[in-house]
Amino acid sequence: MSKIRVELNSGAVRELLKSSEMAAACKAEADAIAKRCGAGYSSDSYTGKNRVNAMVYPESNAAKEDNSENNTLLRSLK
């Protein structure tokens, strides 16, 4: 069996991680998670220094209490 060596193109990987396609994919996943959480949860995405980031957070006080009592955000990741 031969050994395979893979060498990544760092510049291309960096470009991929910051691309608009990756931003759309991350935003879509964050939106789906927020939808599974229910009312009062929102999602957002932004391009950071190294890659695109997405987050889901409780926006209303009721959602904050719900997340605190039931770990809604954590459970919606499954």
Side-chain angles (χ1 to χ4, degrees):
M1 204 170 194
S2 65
K3 292 185 180 183
I4 298 174
R5 183 171 180 200
V6 176
E7 189 172 323
L8 294 176
N9 181 337
S10 299
V13 172
R14 190 177 306 111
E15 186 178 319
L16 175 67
L17 289 174
K18 295 175 105 177
S19 69
S20 60
E21 292 86 0
M22 187 65 72
C26 288
K27 179 66 174 157
E29 186 64 27
D31 288 344
I33 293 168
K35 186 176 179 180
R36 284 195 301 267
C37 288
Y41 291 87
S42 295
S43 64
D44 192 14
S45 66
Y46 63 94
T47 303
K49 181 179 177 184
N50 297 319
R51 63 182 55 105
V52 173
N53 300 281
M55 60 183 161
V56 179
Y57 55 93
E59 196 168 42
S60 67
N61 287 335
K64 289 177 185 176
E65 288 179 23
D66 174 54
N67 186 52
S68 178
E69 293 172 4
N70 302 312
N71 286 326
T72 306
L73 284 171
L74 186 61
R75 290 172 189 257
S76 67
L77 294 176
K78 294 180 181 178

